[in-house]
Amino acid sequence: MMTSWLPNPATLRRPAYQSLADQFAQAIAKGIVAAGARLPPHRKLADDLGLSVQTVSRAYEELIRRGLVVGEVGRGSFVLSPASENRAPYLAQREAALIDLSILKPVTERRHVEIFRKGLHWVADNLTESAALAFRPSSVMPGHRQIAADWLGRNGLDVARDNITITDGATSAVTTAVMSAVPAGGTIAAATLTHHLLIPLSKYLGLHLEGLPFDRDGILPDALDHLARKGSLHAVYIQPSAINPMAIVSSLERRRELVEVARRHDIQIIENDMLNSMIEHRPPPVATLAPERVLYVNGFTKSTLPGLRVAWLVSPPRIALATANRHLVTNWMATPAMVELLSHWITDGTVDRLILWQREALRERHRIAQEALGEASFHAHPQSLHLWLELPPGSNEDDFVAQARRRGVAVASGGAFRIDDRGRRDAVRIALGSTSASDLRKGLSLVTDCLGSAAEPLLPLIG
């Protein structure tokens, strides 16, 4: 429903767009304009108030920046709920009696703890003075960046070491990349199902996030081209190699098509490739096709073990300095001891062995999933850490998650990954590596039981 309330143009001050945004903000805070209300179209409001369309557009952009409004292409601008903080898809704290399939982790066993302990002993015995005492990233990381460049070269990326920023994991790298590619108030696009952290990150940075339709091969190039033609699109975020919610691995042809669109409109590409070489027979990273415009994220927490919180962010030469500066103000530098450990493990082959082990362990996890879920409709890749389970027609994913939890298993609601509801089909994400094989089998059996009653609403408990 469109709001019937209108600001008072007689009380506007300079700058007019700021004052207009303030009036809307006060009306939202007082409940005069309710959550979910659609704001008037730009031109209509401009005509009603005797303002320019540009003034109204800037006011709406300011409301988006403040996290009060969300804009949806083709539908308009809508007021967000005051309490519309994005919920994490996983449990914040593990509950003892619950089988937790909500958090994305690699498969681990006792051996991983022993490998980590051995690695930390090596760090203790070999820690350099610069790693322990230095406070200047440029004096600590050059050798480690060269090791990173050599590793990336094995994956087809010809990267100068000075264009690599070493970060404390993918979250830090993605945050830095988004801040480097998209200016304040700018627009970034992604598949309508995307990385769950990109949605709140865009809100916190005051960015406009646009959802793009996709198929079994990834984002539709025509949709990206259509959005870019409207102007003001700065970057597109992609996860082309199985780390996306539906575990899609985009073809080489689709990757080339997206690059062609990005070049035509001078759009930056942020490529999250956290599973990297663990995905067998994957096409080359998009960064190899367009090194001049791709910010490439490559990490190890998902392919080796969770505690190895280090990721590399490769930047195009023209924005490498900007990327380094954004990382400085948000993180300063990666933790030197962890970087030392990763570099050592790459050099002695431990990383390669862990990735190969993970690949084989996931084969078994996917076999368990196929057996337990039977005829259920789900999307996965043989080396994905998760599967995307579509629910029967008429089901509600949040009710399903609640029902599953009451039966003893936690899964992630699809809503945490959804930018908008276009083409929505309710679903849940199920992590395959977050628990033991026996608990995975039991948890998936509980999920299968829930599927039989997925359309039945969950009644409240009244004590």
Side-chain angles (χ1 to χ4, degrees):
M1 179 181 296
M2 187 179 297
T3 179
S4 59
W5 175 87
L6 289 178
N8 183 357
T11 61
L12 292 178
R13 307 176 309 277
R14 291 184 179 275
Y17 82 90
Q18 190 82 50
S19 183
L20 182 60
D22 289 342
Q23 285 198 39
F24 270 112
Q26 291 168 13
I28 292 169
K30 293 176 181 178
I32 298 171
V33 178
R38 183 160 66 94
L39 302 187
H42 296 209
R43 184 167 298 280
K44 184 178 187 308
L45 185 62
D47 291 342
D48 289 344
L49 301 182
L51 301 172
S52 69
V53 175
Q54 182 183 19
T55 297
V56 173
S57 296
R58 291 189 68 186
Y60 281 16
E61 289 171 1
E62 175 65 15
L63 291 169
I64 291 171
R65 188 191 68 79
R66 297 184 193 183
L68 299 175
V69 167
V70 62
E72 298 181 12
V73 172
R75 296 191 63 218
S77 300
F78 295 83
V79 177
L80 291 169
S81 167
S84 61
E85 277 295 320
N86 292 77
R87 293 175 296 167
Y90 53 84
L91 295 180
Q93 185 172 341
R94 186 162 191 160
E95 300 173 15
L98 203 64
I99 298 174
D100 189 358
L101 307 182
S102 71
I103 192 164
L104 206 62
K105 291 173 58 179
V107 182
T108 55
E109 293 182 349
R110 182 68 186 176
R111 71 178 72 190
H112 290 85
V113 178
E114 296 305 320
I115 290 170
F116 211 165
R117 285 175 174 166
K118 184 178 178 181
L120 292 176
H121 280 299
W122 180 91
V123 171
D125 292 339
N126 294 274
L127 192 66
T128 63
E129 181 177 338
S130 63
L133 305 177
F135 207 59
R136 294 184 176 87
S138 59
S139 67
V140 181
M141 303 296 181
H144 304 103
R145 286 202 295 264
Q146 186 58 56
I147 291 173
D150 293 342
W151 165 273
L152 293 167
R154 291 163 47 187
N155 286 289
L157 278 79
D158 183 12
V159 180
R161 71 179 190 181
D162 290 341
N163 294 342
I164 299 172
T165 302
I166 302 179
T167 74
D168 282 326
T171 301
S172 173
V174 169
T175 299
T176 301
V178 170
M179 291 177 66
S180 303
V182 189
T187 300
I188 183 171
T192 51
L193 288 176
T194 189
H195 186 191
H196 71 94
L197 290 179
L198 182 66
I199 301 170
L201 175 63
S202 298
K203 183 193 300 182
Y204 301 154
L205 293 178
L207 306 181
H208 185 45
L209 177 61
E210 289 283 356
L212 294 170
F214 62 93
D215 59 15
R216 296 293 182 89
D217 202 11
I219 290 173
L220 297 174
D222 286 347
L224 178 61
D225 182 68
H226 178 72
L227 178 61
R229 288 179 185 277
K230 295 183 177 182
S232 77
L233 179 62
H234 296 91
V236 58
Y237 177 89
I238 62 173
Q239 299 171 287
S241 296
I243 196 65
N244 55 79
M246 291 183 67
I248 293 166
V249 175
S250 297
S251 67
L252 178 58
E253 181 181 3
R254 178 60 56 87
R255 296 174 192 226
R256 286 173 171 161
E257 289 171 342
L258 291 174
V259 164
E260 194 277 327
V261 174
R263 282 185 169 139
R264 187 186 315 145
H265 298 285
D266 196 21
I267 300 167
Q268 303 280 355
I269 299 173
I270 300 171
E271 180 180 13
N272 183 335
D273 193 24
M274 282 300 290
L275 298 182
N276 53 76
S277 61
M278 193 175 76
I279 305 300
E280 290 184 291
H281 312 304
R282 65 174 185 148
V286 175
T288 66
L289 306 175
E292 83 286 354
R293 68 185 58 255
V294 177
L295 292 94
Y296 176 78
V297 177
N298 184 11
F300 297 90
T301 56
K302 297 294 194 292
S303 59
T304 59
L305 49 84
L308 192 60
R309 297 208 57 80
V310 182
W312 300 323
L313 171 57
V314 179
S315 305
R318 63 175 173 167
I319 63 168
L321 179 59
T323 302
N325 286 338
R326 302 308 185 274
H327 186 250
L328 278 173
V329 300
T330 55
N331 296 274
W332 189 257
M333 65 188 294
T335 306
M338 282 294 99
V339 180
E340 291 275 0
L341 180 57
L342 172 62
S343 298
H344 171 60
W345 277 356
I346 286 175
T347 302
D348 76 358
T350 298
V351 163
D352 287 326
R353 290 190 291 273
L354 286 170
I355 289 174
L356 288 174
W357 185 93
Q358 188 66 213
R359 188 185 291 165
E360 292 305 311
L362 284 169
R363 292 187 200 279
E364 173 63 12
R365 295 302 174 100
H366 281 277
R367 186 186 65 79
I368 292 172
Q370 189 67 62
E371 290 179 358
L373 294 173
E375 299 300 317
S377 175
F378 66 87
H379 303 271
H381 181 275
Q383 285 94 46
S384 63
L385 299 178
H386 69 285
L387 58 86
W388 185 260
L389 177 65
E390 294 184 340
L391 301 180
S395 302
N396 178 279
E397 59 198 20
D398 291 328
D399 288 346
F400 185 90
V401 169
Q403 184 183 75
R405 186 165 178 174
R406 289 184 61 182
R407 290 179 184 239
V409 58
V411 295
S413 173
F417 310 90
R418 193 176 290 117
I419 295 175
D420 59 49
D421 286 337
R422 286 174 292 178
R424 170 174 176 157
R425 178 168 178 183
D426 281 43
V428 294
R429 188 195 70 180
I430 299 176
L432 301 178
S434 58
T435 189
S436 67
S438 59
D439 274 355
L440 174 64
R441 189 183 298 276
K442 181 179 178 181
L444 290 174
S445 295
L446 293 171
V447 169
T448 302
D449 292 342
C450 291
L451 286 172
S453 55
E456 183 72 22
L458 183 67
L459 297 178
L461 291 177
I462 302 175

